[in-house]
Amino acid sequence: MTAGISDSYTIARGHRTRLYQLQYRKPDQLVPRRDVHEVRERLAWDGSVVEPLNKDDLEAAINIVRREGINAIAICFLHAFTNPAHEHRARDILRAALPEVSISLSSDIAREWREYERASSVTMDAYVAPVVELYLKTLRTELNQAGMNKTIYVMRSNGGVMTDRMARDQPISTLLSGPVGGTIGCVQLSKDTGRANLLGIDMGGTSFDLTLVIEGQPQLSTEASLEGLPLLMSVVDIHTIGTGGGSIAWIEAGGLRVGPKSAGSQPGPACYGRGGTQPTVTDANLFLGRLGTHSLLGGRMTLDVDASKRAMTQLARPLGITELALAEGIVAISNAKMADAMRTITVEKGIDPREFTLVAYGGAGPMHAVELAYELEIGEILIPRFPGTFSAWGMLQSDIRSDFTANFFVPAHQVDPAALRRVYQSLQDQGRALLEQENVTPENMVFALAADLRYIGQENTLTIPFSTGSRVPEVLRAFHNAHERRFGHAQPNSPVEFVNLRLAAVGRLARDRRQSFTPTPQLTSPIIGEREVIFGGQTLRANIFNRALFTDQTRYTGPAVIEEESATTFVPSGYQFQLDDWGNLVIQRSVQPARAFP
């Protein structure tokens, strides 16, 4: 870091994210203060050189790296986002001396103001770089050896994809990208089904991820946080909590708790028979009959009911309740936590969830979907085809995308349209050059411009999309409207300033068109049996369906359990379900339930 400001990364920010947590501790930084090395150089706020780069200071860093066997270096010089020359020169010197070491530059990772956030972002990039680089190099080598010499695309956090070469250059872009695949899948579902507003929930073994699609578009943010550490990067908004099928039930202060600790896949829930002894959400669903002993993997995996019961008994006795009450309590607590997370991204932001269709996927999402929809008064639930692999399918719907940023600190009333166009053109030139490197043809290139604006005196900004033909007054009206929607008020007479200009460079990829569902006569009943299911303290006889046997759009009613290769869907009484024109399972309320869900 630049000499004289190297404490900024260690000091971080002084605000408390949890106001009433008396024992609050700032998250530990990835690099301790002793490993922050100062280099004499200085750029002014506008990128002009105040003090040239002192090459001798880099020799000390080179000696430390060699002596301690360090495998990654992060460089964050003051104001490098306006002029990357010093960072580039430092990288060249270090790379010549340390060819095997990963080097990350803040001017490549975060071209924005705020020194601590830039330092945090580039440090995170350096932290994951050696692992990501090794993995991608190994993958490329082994695929080539197998004769698969095709382009490798890697999902990135902004909802697009990039080649493995670019992923090695910017490994931080792969962070949080797994759940983003589900978001892009929801975007494609929105296009296919004509449903503009979707609330996606992805429940796996360890976490519960939520995402919104509004008017057919994913919700993007220009910054994120990982384990409390800020990241300046374009990312699809994903809200995550530690609740999943493997979440462990435990006792604290005489009360029942569920999660965030998870049994994972090894040993997994007690019913997996791999040595797990603590009850999980999956064990509770099996105990209540919502899962069958052969529900998973098309019956190829057998679940151990007796092991689940032993785990339930072990926890129920100290609580003085029955195993049945414990199992229902585990599911109820898990549902309450997930419903609360759903309110966080909807109600708390002024969004009415009743205007959305709930899309449930992941291995455990369909199991809890109807109860969660009931909690938020959502009338329609959609379970996509192959829900356990829906996020992977979503990745296949992505295009190449890279995001570029340029600072543009100008009060709105002083904006020169010509200057605005010049900056936009510069960003577009950078985007076009990158897409050409990715072998995207000009007719498949799409560029989208946005700007970060704020009221003068504010710290945070709102990102407002606009086109090259937009005039500043139009952008300001869009900003005031967005501020009203987001915060419940706007100040149209207050001065506004531009902070950053942003450009998304998208390269359209060719893909096979998804085929719609073609109904055929139902020759074999999809009902393969029935089972006792406990719901709301009552024992119900539920039909068991094999989803693979649905061939038409017959409407069925609950209680029912729909089993398939990658997930199980539970439909209680008062709901009906059928396939739509794309093979999705659509669940709707048929009558008002006679009693509230537990």
Side-chain angles (χ1 to χ4, degrees), residues 436-572:
E436 289 174 350
Q437 294 177 23
E438 302 286 276
N439 298 318
V440 178
T441 57
E443 62 271 16
N444 288 319
M445 295 181 184
V446 178
F447 302 99
L449 183 66
D452 295 344
L453 287 83
R454 65 185 180 185
Y455 291 115
I456 291 179
Q458 287 184 331
E459 177 182 358
N460 297 315
T461 63
L462 287 177
T463 302
I464 308 301
F466 68 96
S467 65
T468 52
S470 298
R471 299 179 180 274
V472 173
E474 297 171 355
V475 178
L476 291 179
R477 281 196 295 272
F479 168 72
H480 296 310
N481 292 335
H483 202 282
E484 176 74 34
R485 290 193 304 270
R486 178 66 180 85
F487 301 107
H489 67 91
Q491 303 172 22
N493 296 323
S494 296
V496 176
E497 64 181 349
F498 284 69
V499 178
N500 297 309
L501 295 184
R502 300 182 183 275
L503 177 120
V506 178
R508 303 294 188 192
L509 293 176
R511 61 177 60 90
D512 292 335
R513 175 63 179 161
R514 184 187 182 200
Q515 298 298 313
S516 59
F517 173 70
T518 303
T520 59
Q522 189 75 59
L523 301 178
T524 303
S525 173
I527 301 175
I528 58 175
E530 62 178 20
R531 185 168 66 235
E532 287 189 349
V533 175
I534 299 171
F535 179 73
Q538 298 179 347
T539 301
L540 309 172
R541 296 297 297 182
N543 287 323
I544 310 302
F545 291 77
N546 183 343
R547 184 169 177 177
L549 298 179
F550 284 105
T551 61
D552 64 12
Q553 295 175 310
T554 300
R555 183 173 298 170
Y556 300 92
T557 59
V561 175
I562 302 106
E563 298 179 346
E564 56 185 302
E565 189 83 5
S566 62
T568 300
T569 304
F570 173 59
V571 182

Side-chain angles (χ1 to χ4, degrees), residues 77 80-81 106 110 112 114-122 232:
F77 290 159
F81 58 92
S106 71
E112 301 180 42
R114 287 184 290 179
E115 296 306 314
Y116 165 60
E117 285 77 8
R118 289 176 54 242
S120 177
S121 301
V122 72
L232 292 178

Side-chain angles (χ1 to χ4, degrees), residues 99-131:
E100 300 302 318
V101 174
S102 297
I103 301 175
S104 300
L105 306 183
S106 71
S107 54
D108 289 342
I109 303 303
R111 301 180 182 180
E112 301 180 42
W113 67 296
R114 287 184 290 179
E115 296 306 314
Y116 165 60
E117 285 77 8
R118 289 176 54 242
S120 177
S121 301
V122 72
T123 303
M124 183 72 75
D125 185 82
Y127 185 81
V128 302
V131 175

